[in-house]
């Protein structure tokens, strides 16, 4: 049988080549793409279209496994078009949408309608998670193509009610039975009014986050594969790592043959880069669940850098008007899909961390955890890339594409991509969007209906 890659290589030249890029390890090379794949990496590639990229850093595009694309009844906050333009302009070509829509994504018919809405309006790759609530039909959501389950609210949040322990244990059992992935929002919440960021933090404490992780692990008697969302403290991460050591459960990803831990976690850029002290006490723009913490806890998160599996944005846009409400009435959430890689690239360079560690967390690991073929430099890998100069700019909300129109990262140093390639085609160049198109990535349980 002819290997499909061999067939691609034998066809006349690549569709597109990026010449003289700098790779993450500092080497310089030409890279050629054909039919959505990398076909060549080396020297002197000529193609139908050649772009000279001297001095520019090329990295695989990111997969953001935690975004709230809104749309539907919440389109004034964001919709699939604005949200995915925002993704692309930030070097993200695949997003995983969360199901706490209004109404929640708890039935296969709602799920299928959401896929249709996204196929029509999105301009990057996407997957959609299934909502988990007592009334949710988990098995039909799985066969409708859900990528994973959740975020499952083990503590309440904006547009998400907490599940009871019994309901959560049952859901984990059902998901485990289907060999699915359960993604968890783990918090313990004191139901008292918060007037400031500091009281919001003391209603949703670091200890409560760690306790919630432990409790979810205890409820998981069926050994369901778990992914903990937006861990905001080193303390909670320690609990995840302790559980991982105890379970020692490892599976192998079928595409990369690399190890997948049965318990993984993500951290957001806002918990890494923002702290309570950086803002006015009652500034609701930075109200988010889990809350921002103090500077010491924030630095503790950076100390866990090497252990972090995934960086995801938890892109949760709300309108400027909603965020201007007084603190108790403003919704929680921060937009961040566009700023995730740019802010962290600047920070990784400043802290002298290897760029490869950022690529691992924003691109490689999310794909491994979700069972998606990763974007990468090897011939045959998905040709999704972003090209960066070393020019640091200051984040300006007027230049971002999310409908939210604001960012708590205003003025923060960032390196935005000059060019983005998706499936071997240029989709963004010097601020312009080209060749727009979407692709749905259904989960493993998908059964197409005729
Ligand atoms: O701050 C948050 N906002 N945390 C969540 O878990 C949900 C999100 C939202 O959807 O607005
Ligand atoms: Zn959450």
């Amino acid at each position: 049988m002819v290997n499909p890659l061999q067939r691609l290589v034998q066809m006349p030249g690549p569709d597109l080549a990026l010449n003289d890029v700098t790779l993450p390890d500092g080497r310089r090379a030409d890279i050629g793409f054909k039919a959505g794949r990398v076909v060549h990496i080396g020297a002197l590639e000529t193609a139908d279209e050649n772009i000279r990229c001297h001095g520019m850093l090329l990295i695989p595009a990111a997969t953001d496994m935690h975004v709230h694309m809104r749309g539907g009844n919440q389109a004034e906050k964001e919709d699939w078009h604005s949200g995915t333009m925002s993704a692309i302009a930030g070097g993200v070509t695949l997003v995983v949408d969360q199901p706490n829509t209004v109404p929640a994504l708890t039935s296969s018919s709602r799920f299928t309608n959401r896929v249709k809405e996204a196929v029509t309006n999105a301009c990057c790759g996407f997957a959609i998670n299934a909502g988990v609530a007592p009334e949710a039909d988990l098995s039909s959501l799985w066969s409708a193509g859900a990528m994973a389950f959740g975020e499952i609210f083990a503590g309440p949040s904006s547009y998400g009610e907490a599940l009871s322990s019994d309901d959560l244990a049952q859901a984990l059992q059902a998901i485990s039975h289907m060999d699915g992935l359960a993604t968890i929002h783990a918090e313990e919440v004191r139901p008292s009014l918060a007037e400031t960021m500091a009281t919001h933090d003391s209603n949703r404490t670091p200890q409560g986050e760690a306790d919630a992780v432990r409790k979810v692990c205890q409820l998981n008697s069926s050994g369901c594969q778990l992914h903990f969302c937006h861990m905001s403290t080193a303390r909670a991460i320690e609990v995840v790592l302790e559980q991982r050591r105890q379970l020692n459960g490892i599976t192998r990803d079928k595409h990369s043959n690399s190890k997948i831990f049965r318990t993984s976690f993500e951290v957001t850029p806002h918990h890494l880069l923002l702290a309570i002290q950086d803002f006015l006490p009652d500034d609701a723009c930075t109200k988010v669940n889990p809350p921002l913490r103090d500077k010491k806890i924030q630095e503790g998160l950076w100390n866990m850098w090497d252990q972090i599996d995934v960086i995801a944005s938890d892109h949760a846009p709300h309108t400027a008007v909603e965020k201007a409400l007084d603190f108790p009435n403003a919704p929680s959430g921060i937009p961040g899909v566009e700023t995730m890689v740019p802010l962290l690239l600047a920070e990784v360079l400043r802290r002298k961390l290897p760029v490869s560690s950022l690529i691992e967390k924003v691109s490689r690991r999310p794909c491994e955890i979700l069972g998606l073929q990763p974007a990468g430099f090897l011939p045959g890998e998905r040709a999704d890339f972003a090209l960066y100069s070393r020019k640091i700019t200051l984040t300006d909300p007027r230049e971002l594409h999310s409908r939210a129109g604001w960012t708590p990262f205003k003025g923060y140093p960032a390196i935005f991509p000059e060019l983005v390639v998706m499936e071997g085609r240029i989709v963004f160049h010097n601020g312009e969007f080209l060749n727009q198109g979407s692709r749905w990535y259904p989960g493993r349980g998908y059964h197409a209906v005729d």
Side-chain angles (χ1 to χ4, degrees), residues 109-192:
S109 59
R110 280 185 200 157
F111 185 90
T112 305
N113 284 337
R114 186 138 181 94
V115 172
K116 282 187 195 143
E117 184 186 350
V119 166
T120 317
N121 297 301
C123 48
C124 74
F126 69 91
I128 301 179
N129 283 357
V132 178
E135 72 280 8
D137 184 349
L138 300 185
S139 73
S140 72
L141 282 157
W142 187 231
S143 44
M147 174 53 61
F149 292 87
E151 53 179 306
I152 302 173
F153 290 98
S157 189
S158 299
Y159 312 110
E161 293 206 9
L163 260 67
S164 71
S165 299
D166 283 352
D167 288 341
L168 183 55
Q170 263 180 36
L172 293 179
Q173 193 153 33
I175 297 165
S176 161
H177 193 66
M178 296 181 280
D179 202 18
L181 170 69
T183 67
I184 313 283
H185 178 124
E187 279 196 285
E188 265 178 11
V189 183
R190 203 156 57 106
S192 112

Side-chain angles (χ1 to χ4, degrees), residues 139-327:
S139 73
S140 72
L141 282 157
W142 187 231
S143 44
M147 174 53 61
F149 292 87
E151 53 179 306
I152 302 173
F153 290 98
S157 189
S158 299
Y159 312 110
E161 293 206 9
L163 260 67
S164 71
S165 299
D166 283 352
D167 288 341
L168 183 55
Q170 263 180 36
L172 293 179
Q173 193 153 33
I175 297 165
S176 161
H177 193 66
M178 296 181 280
D179 202 18
L181 170 69
T183 67
I184 313 283
H185 178 124
E187 279 196 285
E188 265 178 11
V189 183
R190 203 156 57 106
S192 112
L193 197 72
E195 304 271 3
T196 63
M197 288 170 75
T199 42
H200 192 52
D201 173 40
S202 50
N203 283 349
R204 296 168 170 264
T205 60
Q207 188 58 48
E209 184 180 55
D211 290 345
V213 170
R214 196 171 285 112
K215 184 174 147 194
V216 171
C217 291
Q218 279 160 2
L219 291 172
N220 184 23
S221 56
S222 46
C224 185
Q225 185 178 351
L226 300 180
H227 175 80
F228 287 96
C229 303
H230 42 54
M231 294 280 90
S232 66
T233 64
R235 197 182 303 182
I237 292 174
E238 293 289 4
V239 179
V240 178
L241 296 176
E242 181 190 305
Q243 290 294 325
R244 183 187 286 180
R245 278 191 293 273
Q246 278 174 18
L247 291 172
N248 195 20
I250 294 170
T251 54
R252 280 189 179 272
D253 174 61
K254 57 179 179 296
H255 301 296
S256 60
N257 197 31
S258 53
K259 290 176 188 170
I260 304 290
F261 294 106
R262 290 197 65 86
T263 312
S264 57
F265 69 97
E266 73 198 25
V267 169
T268 68
H270 49 266
H271 290 117
L272 282 165
L273 294 169
L274 308 177
I276 293 177
Q277 289 93 331
D278 302 332
F279 298 90
L280 290 173
D282 61 349
D283 182 350
C285 276
T286 49
K287 183 178 178 190
V288 63
N289 301 328
L292 297 188
R293 308 298 185 182
D294 67 28
K295 284 248 176 262
K296 217 168 126 216
I297 291 187
Q298 181 200 348
E299 208 41 47
L301 258 194
W302 275 109
N303 294 338
M304 300 302 276
W305 177 260
D306 286 344
Q307 275 96 306
I308 294 174
D309 293 316
V310 170
I311 305 277
S313 70
D314 190 6
H315 178 73
H318 299 287
T319 65
V321 172
E322 290 168 311
K323 284 298 220 177
L325 294 170
D326 56 341
F327 198 90

